[in-house]
Amino acid sequence: MAQISRLIIEKQSGNDNTYFAKWEFNEESKNNTTTTGAIKEGNLVSIKSGATYYNGVAIPDWVQRDKWYVIEVSDDRAVLGKNESGTNDICSPINVANLVGGSGSSPSTISEGTLDYYEVKWHYDTGDGVWFAAGTTKAEAKNATYNGSKGAIRIKATVKPVSKTRKVNKEDTPYWTAKAVSATYSISADPPAVPKTPTVKIEQYKLTASLENIGDARTDEITFEIYSGSKRVQSASVKVLTARAGFSCTVAAGGEYRARCRAVNLYEKTRIYSGWSDYSAIITTMPNAPAGITVCRASSSTSIFIEWAAATGATDYDLEYTTNINYFDGSDQTKIVAGIKSTHYEKTGLETGNAYFFRVRATNSKGESAWSGIKSITIGNNPAAPTTWSSTTTAITGEPLTLYWVHNAEDESNMTFAEVELTIGGRKETYTITGSGAGTSKTYTYPVDTSKYAEGTAIQWRVRTAGITKVYGDWSMQRTVDIYAPPTLELTMTDLNGAQIETLGSFPFHLSGLAGPRTQAPTGYHVSITANEVYKTTDRVGNEVLVNKGDAVYSRYFDISKALAISLSASDLDFENNVAYTVTCTVSMNSGLTATAERVFTVAWTAVGYEPDAEISINRDVLTAYIKPYCIDEGGFLIDDIFLSVYRREFDGSFTELAHEIDNASNTVITDPHP
């Protein structure tokens, strides 16, 4: 028997008293049956297309095209006899489901599209235990609506699908029959009404959001949300008591806040929410205190300019000042300038020579912030001696030289004038520099042209400045800049015969460096030799090493004050054949200046490989080893001018040097006390 499924009842959105039922129904999925004509003995029947005999054997086409009389029926098995014309008698069994025609009753599956409509009956309960009829509707879609009855606490919908009909034995007969399905809905489960916009007020740092005269019976709680801009900062649900609800929280100074709310219906163990109310108007708090006074300087001999950082939420500012810091918060000896609209103020009519103390606070319609920190200034004082330095203390003739100083104003005023005094060879030159008198820069510069001074010149200089009073303060300390010619360095690379070389064919080779000019003396030389290519080699103990381009194969500092003259051999460094190298020498002069020279050379020599060996004996009583190193040629003779080193290989793979610079021809034996 057919029936619907998944019947539910819900409240319709946007309508206060309208409900709807919805369900599912699939004709094809139902094994619905109807009464159709049945096969009986004596009926003239046709054979359905594609049918087979009862045993599955195919039916010939000429049999398929003709009509046949049924001579026997047993359950689903019928036997066909003669054809309609009587010319053939096949006497063959076939399933009755494969025959068309006949009369009587037999169950068969309904075809698609036999649904006519859905019958929907509505009832309501007012709490009297009786379901009252509220009307019947015919629904073609799988849903129906209902306008609630006054006083109802429950609603019931009963839905039954209704079949189309057809003529059977000249009577209207439905294709199938169906069963009614019911569902109920409690009005108490309805979402509560959307509340009004909450009332919001702020006192000091306390925000309160509230609702009055809540008339919806299903509203058990109110959820409040507090926003600062677009950021939610607080949220809480409170119970509705005496038709009102309220929520308070602490907020920060200088903020702008608004609130919204929604109602909550506590039905059984479920929280059912309404939609959100509109946002309240933006409410501001009292402002933040200004971060501090950023500028406090004398603008004249009787006025001071004060500037401070803006405070969030401020509409005005109050500036308080006094001549004694102890008067703040404890006397009536302070004065307040109220209602300042900007973040700066120039206080005039002050007395020259007095110290003044200032602080500022922000205000708006909600109140006043705390006071900022205190700044003080003595108006009309002459500046202190400037702080001075130069871009270098050792300048090369023709290179830029810049003199720097900081205007140290005790009244924080900007520099109006400065005097720069240069003393060169006992002769003084004084230059007057004009300052802007405004702005925030306290550092000033003066360029010196060094190209007109000879090597060895000493420039002595000092500065004094004037502030808003245009009276100069003390001179700075006197500083000295020495002018030198740029140092030079001549670097040469020679062989044993003193000939300059660009290709190294053998060790040793000599490096010499001559520094100038004579008015400056060298204090030391640094020599480095770097590879110009990447190659692999072995270190002193035979490990493979990768040398990258730019790696130093030799680096040493020579602490000498005369010309450089050194000799380098195989004991000092190791070269790779057919590789180019760069030797770089830097000399430091007593003037503080440096000079650098480079030479590029290529190694090209006939490489000779030596295979060192050693005779070793062990004294097992005292655990001592005796090693005699040597290196022989192909004839078995010791090679002259060969020096050997001996290393002990430790348990961790590292090497410890036992001896070096051993003459190959000396037959030297060394002792290792810890082999």
Side-chain angles (χ1 to χ4, degrees):
M1 185 172 290
Q3 67 180 45
I4 65 166
S5 62
R6 299 183 184 274
L7 174 63
I8 60 173
I9 304 173
E10 294 182 355
K11 191 175 188 300
Q12 190 177 50
S13 301
N15 293 286
D16 291 339
N17 200 33
T18 301
Y19 302 85
F20 68 92
K22 63 179 181 178
W23 58 87
E24 294 182 5
F25 182 67
N26 188 344
E27 293 179 62
E28 296 183 20
S29 67
K30 309 300 178 185
N31 189 22
N32 302 325
T33 61
T34 186
T35 301
T36 63
I39 304 300
K40 298 177 65 177
E41 184 178 334
N43 290 152
L44 182 64
V45 297
S46 298
I47 301 173
K48 291 181 180 179
S49 176
T52 61
Y53 286 125
Y54 196 82
N55 61 359
V57 175
I59 299 175
D61 289 341
W62 66 272
V63 175
Q64 189 87 40
R65 291 192 297 266
D66 211 341
K67 291 185 178 181
W68 305 88
Y69 286 100
V70 178
I71 60 175
E72 181 183 336
V73 176
S74 176
D75 294 330
D76 63 344
R77 184 177 182 273
V79 180
L80 303 181
K82 293 182 178 181
N83 61 355
E84 186 177 12
S85 61
T87 57
N88 290 294
D89 188 349
I90 60 175
C91 194
S92 299
I94 191 171
N95 195 304
V96 295
N98 290 327
L99 301 177
V100 179
S103 62
S105 299
S106 177
S108 64
T109 304
I110 68 170
S111 61
E112 186 178 356
T114 56
L115 173 70
D116 193 4
Y117 63 89
Y118 299 98
E119 180 186 70
V120 183
K121 294 182 179 181
W122 294 96
H123 294 80
Y124 67 92
D125 176 18
T126 58
D128 302 314
V130 177
W131 286 105
F132 296 97
T136 301
T137 60
K138 292 182 178 180
E140 294 184 359
K142 297 175 185 177
N143 59 74
T145 60
Y146 164 72
N147 292 323
S149 301
K150 186 176 181 179
I153 63 172
R154 288 192 301 162
I155 298 171
K156 180 168 72 173
T158 302
V159 182
K160 182 175 74 170
V162 178
S163 168
K164 293 179 181 179
T165 62
R166 66 175 183 170
K167 294 291 184 180
V168 177
N169 296 327
K170 298 182 180 181
E171 294 184 2
D172 291 332
T173 304
Y175 282 93
W176 38 266
T177 58
K179 178 182 178 182
V181 176
S182 298
T184 60
Y185 176 82
S186 175
I187 303 296
S188 300
D190 278 357
V194 177
K196 298 178 181 179
T197 303
T199 300
V200 180
K201 64 179 181 178
I202 295 178
E203 296 179 356
Q204 295 290 327
Y205 302 105
K206 181 180 179 182
L207 180 147
T208 301
S210 61
L211 280 176
E212 301 286 344
N213 301 318
I214 300 171
D216 180 30
R218 289 185 294 272
T219 300
D220 300 310
E221 290 182 358
I222 294 291
T223 299
F224 292 96
E225 284 189 342
I226 312 301
Y227 284 81
S228 176
S230 60
K231 180 181 179 182
R232 188 180 70 181
V233 294
Q234 289 285 349
S235 178
S237 294
V238 295
K239 290 186 178 298
V240 175
L241 300 173
T242 63
R244 71 176 304 276
F247 166 69
S248 296
C249 64
T250 301
V251 291
E256 294 183 341
Y257 297 90
R258 58 181 182 160
R260 67 174 183 172
C261 63
R262 67 178 176 183
V264 184
N265 178 8
L266 303 178
Y267 177 70
E268 295 181 350
K269 295 183 179 181
T270 305
R271 300 175 64 87
I272 304 171
Y273 298 96
S274 73
W276 287 101
S277 71
D278 292 334
Y279 285 97
S280 68
I282 294 175
I283 305 295
T284 59
T285 65
M286 64 172 50
N288 272 322
I293 296 174
T294 56
V295 177
C296 185
R297 58 176 170 80
S299 54
S300 74
S301 59
T302 58
S303 61
I304 295 175
F305 178 82
I306 304 102
E307 189 170 15
W308 54 88
T312 306
T315 58
D316 303 276
Y317 298 91
D318 295 339
L319 178 68
E320 185 179 25
Y321 66 98
T322 182
T323 56
N324 188 327
I325 193 172
N326 296 317
Y327 289 163
F328 285 127
D329 300 322
S331 77
D332 58 359
Q333 296 299 308
T334 64
K335 295 182 180 180
I336 294 179
V337 181
I340 302 172
K341 297 295 184 182
S342 62
T343 57
H344 58 83
Y345 188 79
E346 187 164 6
K347 184 67 188 81
T348 61
L350 303 175
E351 296 183 13
T352 302
N354 282 352
Y356 288 89
F357 300 85
F358 296 88
R359 64 180 183 178
V360 67
R361 69 183 175 191
T363 66
N364 64 14
S365 60
K366 298 297 181 181
E368 303 159 343
S369 74
W371 289 102
S372 70
I374 298 170
K375 279 278 190 176
S376 65
I377 188 174
T378 302
I379 190 171
N381 274 12
N382 295 334
T387 303
T388 58
W389 69 97
S390 60
S391 57
T392 182
T393 58
T394 305
I396 296 175
T397 300
E399 288 188 350
L401 170 63
T402 304
L403 310 182
Y404 296 88
W405 67 91
V406 174
H407 173 60
N408 293 324
E410 293 190 8
D411 58 5
E412 297 299 323
S413 64
N414 290 319
M415 186 188 82
T416 55
F417 297 99
E419 283 188 346
V420 180
E421 181 187 85
L422 304 181
T423 303
I424 303 166
R427 180 173 56 86
K428 293 184 179 181
E429 302 173 2
T430 303
Y431 302 93
T432 301
I433 310 299
T434 302
S436 63
T440 58
S441 176
K442 300 294 183 182
T443 303
Y444 300 85
T445 62
Y446 180 76
V448 178
D449 182 8
T450 61
S451 63
K452 62 182 180 180
Y453 299 114
E455 181 188 6
T457 301
I459 300 176
Q460 295 179 315
W461 66 282
R462 62 179 183 170
V463 181
R464 64 178 180 176
T465 61
I468 198 66
T469 62
K470 297 181 176 58
V471 177
Y472 285 111
D474 295 333
W475 285 101
S476 68
M477 66 178 296
Q478 192 169 63
R479 299 187 181 275
T480 301
V481 177
D482 294 313
I483 306 298
Y484 291 96
T488 60
L489 177 63
E490 295 180 5
L491 180 65
T492 58
M493 180 176 175
T494 59
D495 59 15
L496 285 174
N497 300 319
Q500 294 197 32
I501 57 174
E502 293 182 356
T503 301
L504 181 63
S506 63
F507 280 122
F509 66 95
H510 303 289
L511 290 175
S512 60
L514 181 62
R518 293 184 178 181
T519 53
Q520 303 174 47
T523 59
Y525 300 82
H526 180 263
V527 177
S528 67
I529 301 176
T530 56
N532 294 352
E533 306 171 32
V534 179
Y535 62 88
K536 290 183 179 180
T537 186
T538 56
D539 62 12
R540 298 174 66 88
V541 294
N543 294 319
E544 188 176 83
V545 177
L546 176 67
V547 178
N548 290 301
K549 181 179 179 180
D551 286 354
V553 298
Y554 178 82
S555 179
R556 184 175 175 182
Y557 180 76
F558 297 90
D559 187 10
I560 54 177
S561 57
K562 55 185 180 180
L564 177 69
I566 59 173
S567 178
L568 298 177
S569 64
S571 61
D572 299 304
L573 74 168
D574 184 24
F575 289 136
E576 183 74 9
N577 200 16
N578 299 318
V579 172
Y581 295 87
T582 299
V583 55
T584 303
C585 180
T586 300
V587 60
S588 302
M589 310 298 283
N590 62 355
S591 62
L593 303 176
T594 62
T596 300
E598 292 184 348
R599 290 289 181 272
V600 177
F601 64 93
T602 302
V603 174
W605 51 35
T606 302
V608 179
Y610 296 112
E611 292 293 335
D613 204 342
E615 296 177 359
I616 302 174
S617 62
I618 303 295
N619 186 333
R620 300 187 181 279
D621 294 332
V622 296
L623 296 178
T624 300
Y626 305 101
I627 304 101
K628 178 184 177 183
Y630 61 89
C631 188
I632 58 177
D633 59 17
E634 295 179 354
F637 298 101
L638 293 174
I639 305 172
D640 293 334
D641 300 325
I642 292 292
F643 295 91
L644 303 171
S645 298
V646 179
Y647 296 84
R648 180 203 308 130
R649 183 168 185 169
E650 305 291 357
F651 69 93
D652 59 359
S654 63
F655 291 87
T656 300
E657 184 180 273
L658 302 178
H660 67 284
E661 297 289 335
I662 302 172
D663 189 344
N664 187 44
S666 64
N667 291 316
T668 302
V669 177
I670 66 168
T671 301
D672 182 4
H674 306 291

